Amino acid sequence: MLRPLSLTVLALALVACGGKAEKPVTPKTDAKGDLRYGRLVFKPCTLGGDTGQSVDAQCATLMAPENPAAPDGRRIGLAVAMIPAKNLAAADPVVIIAGGPGQSILDSYPMLHDALGDVRRSRNVLLMDARGTGGSHLLQCEELTGLDDTSAESEDPARMRALTERCRDRLAKNADLRFYGTAEHIRDLDLLRESIGVGRLNLAGISYGTRVAQQYAARYPKHTRTVTLDSIAPNTLVLGQEHAQNLDAAIKRQFARCVADTACKRNIGDPATLLAQVRTTLQGGGLAAVRYRDPTSGEWREEVPRFAHLGALLRFYAYRPESASMLPLILHDAAQGRYETLLSQARALSGDVGDSMALGMHLSVSCTEDPEIRSRPEDENTIMGNSIAEFIQAQCAVWPKGTRDPDFRKPLSGDVPVLAISGELDPVTPPRYGDDVVKTLPKGRHLVLPGQGHSVLTTGCMPKLYAQFVETADAKALDAECLKRLKASPPFAGYYGWEP
């Protein structure tokens, strides 16, 4: 059983890693009853109260220049939250960085809170919404969030471009959209570090957040104690470029599991054949409207099944194997002309994603940092084809662009301790990305969680391993045998799940 190390052992570990052990830092309450952490003043708050999962925290606002090169220009407020350590806090806090790009870490943190219980025994957890997200000068495109991935307009690049222009013009009245990318975010993170008065940070990035963590560690190596990368996006990756190929590969792996399962094969058949049949039918059009119940509101809706519904379902279901295990059954029903489940699930998934992402910030990141994205011949015959690249190109053609660091694509290197973790069945950031990243990191290690999908920090014994890594700063010493107990969810062979 893994047990958190004592603070004494922690101090020795810091010295062994070549760093001088710092004095523990404890936020202090001032005469007014406010909690002070360095120069920041925190007040009690609740995170995620409207999601059904709430966490008591301390919140503050960090002011930062919108344009780092113009410190006397417009300043924006960055939402910061802290979950204090349970005991005496070590000097180096943990900083969690959200994915997307465009997700609010303050909104999404409650889903991680319980898994960070061991880390929080001896470290403060710090959260800061990236500029343009959540409570940090939000850049949201209501013009685009009103469209889910299943709407007819979402299939029209020209229409999407026009709506993007409308969003751009509205947001530009109160924001310079060139300064809401990764480069500015890592400067903000270091401003946060300096403001609370600590020397080093333990960074944990999830999905797009792994890009931020790598860029920070490269720019500020002396201020980086450890880096944890969950579902890795290498610096060399053009975001969105390989998604079509990765999705096809992940779906094939999922379908192979159904064919290998006696009950699934007997009751469902070959999911690949069903997918081809349903895809052809939906792309052919001419179907009648189907009445189904909205899984979020409970209201009855009526829509004509279209390929966009299938595309949304495949893209988002593949993120998590327990959801993807339902795909063969949904395709089986659709092939029989029963589209109710496909429609309801597609609506639930696309709506959740649209609500959780700040699309203006997303565009400021993508259009500045990934201009290389292109339509490719090798993607034409995939399920999604070149639709993702085409839409990004259409939107970025009209979106302001910042300046990308000349070394942006350079892989992270050096002696920083790095723990990279991937889900075996991740369709977005497959395990090979983690393998590539640790090649240039002598103190790096990559762990692959069997049968799992995207975002795996909270899975199985991973929280214990993560806590041990943060305390020892030694990824190679972790005993990861416990991960071998993880398995993928069996494919659904009927409406009541899988058969024993």
Side-chain angles (χ1 to χ4, degrees), residues 284-418:
L287 296 175
V290 173
R291 193 166 182 260
Y292 69 97
R293 189 180 291 276
D294 188 311
T296 302
S297 66
E299 299 176 353
W300 285 98
R301 301 181 65 91
E302 193 171 280
E303 288 186 73
V304 175
R306 296 165 42 254
F307 177 70
H309 294 103
L310 177 62
L313 187 72
L314 293 172
R315 279 166 48 205
F316 299 128
Y317 254 35
Y319 272 69
R320 302 187 67 83
E322 58 267 35
S323 298
S325 64
M326 295 175 60
L327 281 175
L329 180 61
I330 295 174
L331 290 171
H332 178 267
D333 280 357
Q336 304 300 315
R338 298 189 295 271
Y339 295 100
E340 291 83 358
T341 304
L342 188 154
L343 291 171
S344 64
Q345 293 302 301
R347 169 158 292 278
L349 292 165
S350 59
D352 287 345
V353 172
D355 293 340
S356 66
M357 294 294 173
L359 298 181
M361 180 271 193
H362 182 97
L363 289 170
S364 287
V365 171
S366 298
C367 298
T368 294
E369 299 171 13
D370 300 293
E372 303 95 335
I373 194 165
R374 294 289 185 273
S375 294
R376 306 185 304 178
E378 60 265 39
D379 294 333
E380 290 179 358
N381 294 322
T382 63
I383 296 169
M384 298 309 301
N386 279 297
S387 60
I388 294 175
E390 290 170 357
F391 280 117
I392 293 175
Q393 285 181 302
Q395 292 178 303
C396 288
V398 298
W399 199 261
K401 300 166 185 62
T403 301
R404 192 175 77 179
D405 189 306
D407 293 329
F408 184 83
R409 292 291 183 211
K410 185 178 180 181
L412 179 63
S413 60
D415 290 332
V416 60
V418 174

Side-chain angles (χ1 to χ4, degrees), residues 193-265:
R193 178 201 61 77
E194 190 269 335
S195 297
I196 62 175
V198 301
R200 296 185 297 176
L201 303 174
N202 295 285
L203 303 174
I206 302 170
S207 194
Y208 160 74
T210 65
R211 169 183 280 189
V212 179
Q214 291 171 83
Q215 295 290 327
Y216 182 95
R219 175 71 66 87
Y220 305 105
K222 293 183 180 179
H223 298 314
T224 306
R225 179 174 173 270
T226 66
V227 175
T228 301
L229 305 174
D230 177 1
S231 306
I232 305 100
N235 290 338
T236 55
L237 178 68
V238 178
L239 295 186
Q241 185 67 84
E242 299 181 6
H243 190 50
Q245 295 283 345
N246 290 342
L247 177 62
D248 269 30
I251 289 175
K252 287 178 181 177
R253 289 195 297 270
Q254 291 287 356
F255 287 176
R257 294 173 54 239
C258 178
V259 173
D261 183 270
T262 302
C264 188
K265 184 178 181 180

